[in-house]
Amino acid sequence: AQTVTQSQPEMSVQEAETVTLSCTYDTSESDYYLFWYKQPPSRQMILVIRQEAYKQQNATENRFSVNFQKAAKSFSLKISDSQLGDAAMYFCAYRSAFTQYGNKLVFGAGTILRVKS
Amino acid sequence: KAGVTQTPRYLIKTRGQQVTLSCSPISGHRSVSWYQQTPGQGLQFLFEYFSETQRNKGNFPGRFSGRQFSNSRSEMNVSTLELGDSALYLCASRSGGDNEQFFGPGTRLTVL
């Protein structure tokens, strides 16, 4: 079974600075997808960024980028120029590429990100 | 496009009762997944429905069930509620050709 581990329960960052959230995962599969989701206090889960395991290039979405290390099974999220609106719970998630598992997401425990003004 | 909608948003029940939660996916999405979110267990996959068929099921007791209708709307039912069933229940929908799952706002269930 796949597992996702987020070892940082809580992180703080000063506005306009950069912060990195860590995520490791365990799987025996070679093809899969990784995601970072953001859940603000309003509780609507929003996709921040995604990475296909077969792509070596790290995904980037504006101020958000990932460092995907497939051999190390590591998938960290870097947020640059942090803004007050970035404050939320961040979840790392795994999805198998094998259709037998459908769309099941396996989530980490989450990291609370606090942004200080 | 309208997003994923879930009704009701809040629900209070007592132990032993049953409850039905509803999820309307984004138009055109045929896959609907359900997740339970609690402070202790985090986010856990309940089940997924695709074209009215259960495609995958998480490790939950048989008290948790679901179904999907021909218009892709989905319902989940919890019978004989227990205090531990208090949680935020999230629904997510996905189209066939995209990797992204879109989540609804959730239903907050409190069991007293």
Side-chain angles (χ1 to χ4, degrees):
Chain A
Q2 297 83 19
T3 58
V4 177
T5 302
Q6 293 178 250
S7 58
Q8 306 155 317
E10 191 170 325
M11 293 283 285
S12 289
V13 63
Q14 202 69 35
E15 205 175 358
E17 295 193 342
T18 297
V19 64
T20 299
L21 308 185
S22 301
C23 172
T24 58
Y25 58 95
D26 190 26
T27 184
S28 58
E29 298 175 340
S30 59
D31 200 11
Y32 47 86
Y33 304 95
L34 296 165
F35 306 87
W36 278 99
Y37 281 91
K38 170 186 177 182
Q39 188 179 42
S42 67
R43 300 191 180 279
Q44 185 97 32
M45 192 88 75
I46 304 164
L47 177 68
V48 174
I49 198 166
R50 63 182 174 217
Q51 174 82 42
E52 290 85 354
Y54 63 86
K55 289 186 178 179
Q56 292 188 340
Q57 187 174 6
N58 289 326
T60 300
E61 287 287 342
N62 301 313
R63 298 182 295 108
F64 299 87
S65 61
V66 298
N67 183 3
F68 173 49
Q69 302 289 328
K70 191 172 184 179
K73 296 180 182 174
S74 170
F75 183 61
S76 61
L77 174 69
K78 185 171 86 170
I79 305 174
S80 304
D81 186 25
S82 296
Q83 301 175 359
L84 294 177
D86 295 333
M89 176 79 94
Y90 285 81
F91 291 98
C92 178
Y94 172 103
R95 182 168 73 82
S96 172
F98 291 96
T99 55
Q100 69 189 83
Y101 296 114
N103 291 315
K104 175 184 175 181
L105 288 170
V106 177
F107 286 93
T111 297
I112 297 172
L113 177 65
R114 303 191 192 282
V115 182
K116 302 175 184 177
S117 59
Chain B
K1 274 187 180 178
V4 179
T5 58
Q6 293 187 244
T7 56
R9 292 293 309 278
Y10 302 91
L11 206 49
I12 300 175
K13 292 285 188 179
T14 56
R15 278 180 299 175
Q17 287 187 310
Q18 75 165 12
V19 68
T20 299
L21 312 182
S22 180
C23 171
S24 292
I26 291 172
S27 177
H29 287 193
R30 294 162 63 191
S31 165
V32 174
S33 300
W34 288 90
Y35 295 85
Q36 181 196 64
Q37 186 176 17
T38 60
Q41 299 298 316
L43 277 154
Q44 293 186 287
F45 172 78
L46 279 157
F47 29 64
E48 179 198 358
Y49 286 87
F50 182 84
S51 294
E52 302 179 65
T53 302
Q54 188 179 85
R55 184 154 72 170
N56 203 352
K57 189 178 192 306
N59 189 25
F60 279 82
R63 300 185 297 107
F64 291 81
S65 63
R67 59 178 175 169
Q68 186 179 33
F69 302 94
S70 59
N71 62 357
S72 293
R73 189 178 70 85
S74 177
E75 289 181 346
M76 68 163 280
N77 183 275
V78 188
S79 62
T80 320
L81 283 165
E82 300 177 359
L83 294 179
D85 297 333
S86 294
L88 180 69
Y89 290 88
L90 295 170
C91 159
S93 76
R94 176 178 174 244
S95 68
D98 190 359
N99 287 322
E100 181 174 357
Q101 291 193 49
F102 294 85
F103 282 83
T107 294
R108 167 68 67 186
L109 172 65
T110 301
V111 182
L112 302 175

